[in-house]
Amino acid sequence: MTIRVLLADDHEFFRSGFRSALETQDDLECVADVGDGQAAVAEIGRLRPDVAVLDVRMPKLDGLTAAETVLSRGSGTRIVLLTTYDDDNYVYRALRAGASGFCLKSMPTEELLSAIRIAARGDALIDPSVTRRLVTQFSAGMAPPATGAPKELEKLTARERETLIEVARGHSNAEIAARLYVGEQTVKTHVSHVLTKLGLRDRVQAVIYAYENSLL
């Protein structure tokens, strides 16, 4: 199945270069490229791409606001944000809005293309250079603590709750499997159950959920 992609970036050189990279991929199709956030919101509404890649800093409407606008409308389009700045506040705001990825433009092209594929299949990716630091920032209080444990946590089994905590610590499925002495497929099953029971889109939202509800 071909993944339909919209690209929004005000730097024409980057935009044209990344579009060329997309067009070399058999499973990716660039349905439009635009140079500002307002155009991105309009074209996402019109074309309904599978994934929209948005630069954080754009004229008329910045990428974060564009992402929040699109996602607040219940769009099925997955959002991947690009930036030259690894600012934790950008990341937190993006993930709170429901973005499926936050990547630095300095990432190799193949990794940016991979981020699009990851978003399209319903998972999420944060640039590895900021993931662990973001978790530390959550721990330091970037996310406001909840006043009480939400009732839906009672739906989780003890092992599912352990898995959620390990996800919130930024561990991969393989790392969680080693820490809990279970198979990696078992971890994948637990993660899937956690997301379903808590009504979360992906494991990045699970990180936010865990810290906002003081599970660590």
Side-chain angles (χ1 to χ4, degrees):
M1 186 180 85
T2 301
I3 300 169
R4 301 171 67 251
V5 182
L6 179 140
L7 176 61
D9 194 295
D10 62 325
H11 292 92
E12 186 174 351
F13 181 77
F14 176 85
R15 196 169 74 242
S16 61
F18 195 54
R19 176 163 191 154
S20 296
L22 286 169
E23 291 172 346
T24 66
Q25 307 298 303
D26 293 337
D27 62 331
L28 302 175
E29 175 192 2
C30 186
V31 295
D33 67 271
V34 298
D36 66 78
Q38 283 185 1
V41 172
E43 288 298 274
I44 291 171
R46 184 176 72 89
L47 297 170
R48 301 187 182 278
D50 300 306
V51 179
V53 180
L54 310 180
D55 186 22
V56 167
R57 295 198 171 188
M58 290 189 290
K60 298 185 180 179
L61 195 68
D62 65 84
L64 286 168
T65 305
E68 289 168 343
T69 301
V70 169
L71 294 167
S72 69
R73 295 174 179 174
S75 170
T77 298
R78 297 280 180 165
I79 304 293
V80 174
L81 287 152
L82 296 180
T83 184
T84 54
Y85 308 94
D86 58 343
D87 187 305
D88 296 327
N89 291 300
Y90 284 168
V91 182
Y92 184 65
R93 183 177 161 194
L95 300 183
R96 281 294 305 272
S100 296
F102 188 95
C103 303
L104 301 182
K105 287 185 176 179
S106 58
M107 286 176 70
T109 300
E110 282 303 316
E111 291 185 21
L112 293 176
L113 296 173
S114 177
I116 292 172
R117 296 184 177 101
I118 289 170
R121 68 172 182 249
D123 211 331
L125 175 77
I126 313 173
D127 187 292
S129 68
V130 300
T131 301
R132 299 296 174 124
R133 193 176 71 251
L134 178 64
V135 169
T136 301
Q137 290 292 333
F138 275 123
S139 300
M142 180 180 286
T147 56
K151 199 161 183 64
E152 64 263 21
L153 274 176
E154 298 174 4
K155 301 176 184 177
L156 302 184
T157 65
R159 187 43 62 95
E160 288 166 355
R161 187 170 177 132
E162 284 181 302
T163 301
L164 172 59
I165 290 171
E166 294 301 328
V167 168
R169 287 175 173 149
H171 295 137
S172 67
N173 285 349
E175 290 170 331
I176 296 172
R179 292 170 69 89
L180 299 184
Y181 303 102
V182 297
E184 192 169 345
Q185 185 57 51
T186 299
V187 173
K188 290 180 181 179
T189 299
H190 288 327
V191 171
S192 177
H193 289 169
V194 167
L195 298 181
T196 299
K197 290 180 179 181
L198 299 182
L200 304 172
R201 287 180 59 173
D202 49 52
R203 64 193 297 134
V204 175
Q205 284 199 343
V207 173
I208 295 173
Y209 180 94
Y211 277 98
E212 288 189 333
N213 289 288
S214 304
L215 296 187
L216 291 177

